[in-house]
Amino acid sequence: MKGKVMAASFFLIVVLMGYTFWDNQRIIIVKQDVVIEDLPKELEGFSIVQITDLHEKEFGANQERLINAINSIPYDAIVFTGDMMKNNSKNAVPFYTLIEGIENKQHALFVPGNTDPKSYRTSSNNLEKSEFVKSMEKQGVRLLDSTYTVKRGNVHAQFVNFEWSLKTKNKSNKNENLSSNKKNYPKKKNSDLIIGLNHYPVVDSHIDALLTDPSVTFRYYDLIMAGHYHGGQIRIPFVGALFVPEAWYEKSGLFPPQDRVKGLWEYKHIKQYVSAGLGCNGPIPFLNFRLFDSPEINVLTFKSGKTE
């Protein structure tokens, strides 16, 4: 009996290892509709592909499988929400190979993550873009260092670097800030659709802190897009993610709220979408794999309708 149990356990371990290896190499395309009340008809069906947390992972020779997956999708914009590289690495080839093979880069934007090289460097007392960013932009992907607007007919979809947009408030703009009072949320300004790009998710407690901080301007967003969590990276069936790297949680991300790990949610009228991304990373080398957490690229499509 004991031998049968050991044999069965060994068989299950082999199956799990085989499945995990296969699952880490595949790519799933996750589609999500984002319902916006009073969305202009010109922006109905406006779609964004999100690529995040590549961490230098390669999907086939010269990123062939990942490139083919992206090129199979019709979209209006493509965004890269950080961590294309590994910590302290200079191997940008997997990322550059990827963006070189992408066909639709008419509106392609990048915001940096915590493992990417710095976006700017000081040269002769002047601030200039880093070589990492310069090479990326030569291949058609733009660093989003402020705002970027896509025009459809007479309406505009505006992309904003969320983290860099949090600026010190002064007397002249104090009425443009969000208030903790729901009645004081600002109306849309200048654009018909406003999308914030950030590497880090902005958790509920962080939003609360920003709303009550008199020193920053928190602008209106129809949607914030982020990555960073890897969907938890190690997930347990019927349980979910055991940990996400999030300093704003009491236990620093241990046993996080599962409805805030990945996907779409809304808090205080702010919708947010977090992708589980493609690669893996972490301080413990032998845990640098994804378990029950398939690599994903995301397609977000805006629809008009009533929000709850």
Side-chain angles (χ1 to χ4, degrees), residues 214-239:
S215 69
V216 300
T217 297
F218 194 113
R219 302 188 183 283
Y220 180 100
Y221 291 96
D222 290 293
L223 178 70
I224 296 172
M225 298 174 65
H228 187 58
Y229 287 169
H230 302 174
Q233 192 163 303
I234 304 294
R235 298 179 62 87
I236 305 300
F238 310 110
V239 175

Side-chain angles (χ1 to χ4, degrees), residues 273-287:
Y273 187 83
V274 175
S275 168
L278 290 160
C280 50
N281 194 40
I284 306 174
F286 72 86
L287 290 180

Side-chain angles (χ1 to χ4, degrees), residues 287-304:
L287 290 180
N288 277 338
F289 62 92
R290 301 167 75 102
L291 182 63
F292 298 111
D293 185 31
S294 305
E296 67 181 38
I297 58 179
N298 311 85
V299 186
L300 280 65
T301 303
F302 290 91
K303 304 284 188 180
S304 178

Side-chain angles (χ1 to χ4, degrees), residues 11-149:
F11 175 76
L12 289 175
I13 291 171
V14 171
V15 170
L16 178 60
M17 290 176 64
Y19 169 80
T20 300
F21 177 81
W22 170 79
D23 190 44
N24 275 246
Q25 307 310 311
R26 69 174 177 149
I27 306 159
I28 62 173
I29 299 174
V30 178
K31 298 181 179 180
Q32 175 69 57
D33 288 345
V34 182
V35 177
I36 303 294
E37 192 170 353
D38 300 323
L39 183 74
K41 63 180 181 180
E42 292 91 341
L43 290 172
E44 180 77 27
F46 185 85
S47 63
I48 303 170
V49 166
Q50 182 182 10
I51 308 295
T52 195
D53 295 277
L54 180 66
H55 288 295
E56 301 178 22
K57 185 171 177 61
E58 298 183 52
F59 292 89
N62 298 316
Q63 297 286 26
E64 180 180 12
R65 289 189 291 111
L66 182 53
I67 290 169
N68 289 341
I70 295 170
N71 288 340
S72 71
I73 305 168
Y75 56 85
D76 296 285
I78 183 168
V79 300
F80 300 84
T81 49
D83 279 7
M84 299 298 108
M85 307 278 282
K86 292 182 179 179
N87 284 314
N88 304 314
S89 172
K90 296 182 180 179
N91 179 23
V93 173
F95 178 43
Y96 292 160
T97 301
L98 170 62
I99 59 179
E100 183 180 6
I102 294 174
E103 294 172 354
N104 180 3
K105 291 180 285 191
Q106 182 180 4
H107 305 295
L109 304 171
F110 169 86
V111 291
N114 54 290
T115 66
D116 294 316
K118 293 185 180 300
S119 299
Y120 287 89
R121 64 185 180 90
T122 303
S123 177
S124 301
N125 296 322
N126 293 320
L127 196 64
E128 65 176 34
K129 291 178 179 177
S130 67
E131 292 303 318
F132 172 76
V133 168
K134 288 180 180 179
S135 297
M136 176 187 74
E137 293 194 329
K138 284 181 181 178
Q139 297 184 66
V141 177
R142 176 192 184 106
L143 173 68
L144 182 64
D145 54 4
S146 55
T147 64
Y148 180 87
T149 301

Side-chain angles (χ1 to χ4, degrees), residues 239-290:
V239 175
L242 302 179
F243 173 79
V244 294
E246 182 51 71
W248 280 92
Y249 288 142
E250 288 185 4
K251 298 179 181 179
S252 297
L254 187 64
F255 305 117
Q258 295 303 312
D259 61 350
R260 294 294 193 267
V261 171
K262 64 177 181 175
L264 181 69
W265 66 79
E266 183 172 342
Y267 181 70
K268 292 191 174 178
H269 303 290
I270 302 167
K271 289 183 173 65
Q272 190 165 177
Y273 187 83
V274 175
S275 168
L278 290 160
C280 50
N281 194 40
I284 306 174
F286 72 86
L287 290 180
N288 277 338
F289 62 92
R290 301 167 75 102

